[in-house]
Amino acid sequence: MRNHHSRTARKKASTAELLLAWYDANRRELVWRAKPGEAADPYRVWLSEIMLQQTTVAAVTPYYRAFLKRWPDVKRLARASLDEVCAAWAGLGYYSRARNLWRAARMIATQQGGVFPTTAGDLRELPGVGAYTAAAIAAIAFDERVAAMDANAERVIARLFAIEEALPKAKPKLTELATKLVPKNRPGDFAQALMDLGSAVCLSKRPRCGDCPLSAGCRARQFGIAETLPRKAAKRPRPLKRGAAFVAVDRVGAVYLVRRPENGLLGGMLQPPLGEWGAAFPARAAALEEAPFTGNWLKKPGLVRHGFTHFELEMEVYVANFIRRPNGEGMWLSAPDLAGAALPTVMRKTLAHALDEDVPLFKIS
Ligand code: SF4
C-alpha cells in the first residue's frame, strides 16, 4: 500500500493510523518498553528516559538493567544514598542526571507517597525532567495526548511538513504540528512510533522514504529536500580548556582521590586532584604549585582528552609514587574499589593514562 493513492479508498487513513499500523509491525524491542497491550510502568519509563538523554540505547541498556535490578521501584531508589546512585551511574556521563534522578525519587517517595504525577505539566516539576521527558512519560505511561519531541520526532515532523525554519527556533512550531497528529487512542504508542520511525526509517542521512508509511503525505519528500531537514542553527565551536591532573600512588598501588563540589560540572563525583583549567597547559613549575603534595612528580607522555557539552578538555597527567601516604582531605582507593567508585569517565581515562592501564580495568562490571 505504500506510495499508493487509491481513488477508490473510502476514507483516507490518518497519519496516526498509518504510523501506528507501521509501529505494530516494526516496533523496536527495548528492555524498558512494555510489551504490546501491557501497561507501561512510569518508574521504568522515567528511569529509561533520564538515562537516554544524550546517550545511546546501546550505552544505556546495561545501566538500565543494573538499576532496575538493584532498585526495582521508586521507593527503593529513594532509600539509596546519593553516593550509591552516583557510583552506579559512573560511566554514563552527564552526572547531574544522577543527582536529579535521586532527588526526584526522594520527592516522589516523600511528598507523593511513591506515586508518580500523571500529567506532563506535573511531571515537569520533578528535578531533571524537561519538556520532552515529561511528555514522553505522560504519553507512554499515562496515555496523555501530548507530543514527545526528541530529535527523532523533530526530524520526522520537520520533514513531513517541510518546515525550513532552523532548530531550535522551530521547536514550538514542530511541537504544535505533532500535537495535532496525536490520536485519542494510543498516544503513548504514537509517541514511541514517531521515535522508532525516526531512528529506523527517517534517518538524518539518507532517509528510507521507500519504506516509510508516511511517504504519500510527506512534503519534504515531494520537494526533494528531506535530507536537508531539519535545518539547524550554526553551532559555536566548543572552546578548548587545558590543565594538569595529579595522580598520587602509594606503594600498594592505591591512588589519592578528592570529591568535587556538589554543584556544577561532575558534581559530587571523585577525581584525582586537578589544577586550574586555562587556554594553555601550565609550565611544569606552575603546574606543580597546584599539586596536592610535594613529591617527585613525573609528567606522563601524551594527553587525556574528553569532550563535554560546552567545551573540550585536554589534561597533562603528573604521577608521583609515595612510600608513605601523605596526609590530605581526600581518600586512597585501590584498584578493586575504583571499579565501583563514583568516578566519571574522564577521570577513569586519567587514571588509566597515569597507571598505563587499559580503561576497561576501571569500567563498571
Ligand atoms: Fe522521512 Fe522520507 Fe518518511 Fe518523509 S517520507 S517522513 S522524509 S522517511
Side-chain angles (χ1 to χ4, degrees):
M1 74 171 208
R2 67 181 192 232
N3 294 350
H4 183 70
H5 294 279
S6 166
R7 284 173 199 281
T8 56
R10 268 173 231 110
K11 178 181 168 286
K12 219 171 120 211
S14 71
T15 303
E17 284 165 342
L18 292 169
L19 186 58
L20 286 168
W22 175 85
Y23 180 69
D24 288 339
N26 298 284
R27 67 201 296 284
R28 279 182 293 179
E29 289 287 330
L30 300 169
V31 269
W32 43 83
R33 198 172 258 183
K35 301 266 175 295
E38 218 177 74
D41 171 1
Y43 174 69
R44 293 175 185 217
V45 179
W46 167 68
L47 182 61
S48 63
E49 287 297 342
I50 301 290
M51 286 184 167
L52 285 164
Q53 289 167 2
Q54 331 215 33
T55 312
T56 61
V57 165
V60 163
T61 301
Y63 282 88
Y64 173 83
R65 284 188 205 274
F67 263 68
L68 200 68
K69 194 160 168 232
R70 191 160 168 194
W71 299 300
D73 55 48
V74 73
K75 286 186 177 165
R76 266 175 276 198
L77 181 60
R79 284 203 294 269
S81 72
L82 175 57
D83 211 42
E84 284 171 326
V85 174
C86 284
W89 194 275
L92 203 50
Y94 301 100
Y95 295 95
S96 60
R97 295 183 299 169
R99 291 194 300 280
N100 284 331
L101 189 83
W102 178 79
R103 282 170 50 212
R106 293 237 146 166
M107 263 173 81
I108 295 167
T110 56
Q111 296 169 22
Q112 331 241 13
V115 180
F116 268 81
T118 60
T119 65
D122 289 343
L123 285 157
R124 268 206 86 162
E125 303 291 313
L126 296 172
V129 174
Y132 159 73
T133 307
I137 303 168
I140 298 170
F142 301 112
D143 268 336
E144 189 181 1
R145 277 185 78 188
V146 285
M149 301 303 284
D150 70 346
N152 283 325
E154 281 174 359
R155 186 167 61 253
V156 176
I157 299 296
R159 289 173 174 175
L160 214 47
F161 295 93
I163 303 299
E164 295 188 62
E165 190 179 359
L167 283 169
K169 233 180 137 203
K171 248 172 199 290
K173 184 181 283 173
L174 296 178
T175 308
E176 193 191 316
L177 289 166
T179 307
K180 287 192 188 141
L181 297 180
V182 181
K184 279 201 194 71
N185 286 327
R186 307 178 66 192
D189 284 347
F190 179 83
Q192 296 173 99
L194 210 52
M195 296 173 201
D196 281 15
L197 190 75
S199 85
V201 177
C202 195
L203 307 170
S204 44
K205 287 183 197 124
R206 303 206 197 163
R208 296 168 42 208
C209 301
D211 297 325
C212 177
L214 309 182
S215 65
C218 177
R219 300 179 72 178
R221 188 191 65 83
Q222 285 155 18
F223 301 158
I225 57 170
E227 230 170 311
T228 71
L229 299 182
R231 306 251 148 91
K232 289 183 184 151
K235 270 196 196 143
R236 273 182 294 155
R238 287 187 295 181
L240 176 63
K241 296 187 185 185
R242 290 174 154 157
F246 302 93
V247 178
V249 186
D250 77 2
R251 65 177 169 187
V252 295
V255 295
Y256 180 74
L257 299 174
V258 292
R259 194 176 293 282
R260 294 183 64 87
E262 276 307 320
N263 291 316
L265 184 78
L266 308 177
M269 304 292 283
L270 295 172
Q271 64 177 30
L274 307 181
E276 290 282 314
W277 295 339
F281 291 116
R284 182 184 163 82
L288 292 192
E289 280 177 24
E290 301 186 293
F293 316 118
T294 317
N296 183 22
W297 293 98
L298 295 177
K299 187 161 86 180
K300 295 291 282 192
L303 292 174
V304 174
R305 286 199 180 82
H306 193 76
F308 290 96
T309 318
H310 299 295
F311 65 95
E312 293 279 334
L313 179 65
E314 286 183 353
M315 285 195 292
E316 289 182 333
V317 181
Y318 290 82
V319 183
N321 291 286
F322 294 89
I323 307 247
R324 227 191 260 149
R325 289 179 179 179
N327 283 330
E329 310 250 295
M331 63 187 85
W332 292 84
L333 290 188
S334 55
D337 297 327
L338 288 174
L343 267 170
T345 302
V346 56
M347 301 309 165
R348 285 175 193 267
K349 284 197 228 170
T350 306
L351 292 180
H353 184 74
L355 306 176
D356 295 318
E357 298 282 0
D358 290 335
V359 180
L361 175 68
F362 299 108
K363 266 198 159 162
I364 63 152
S365 47

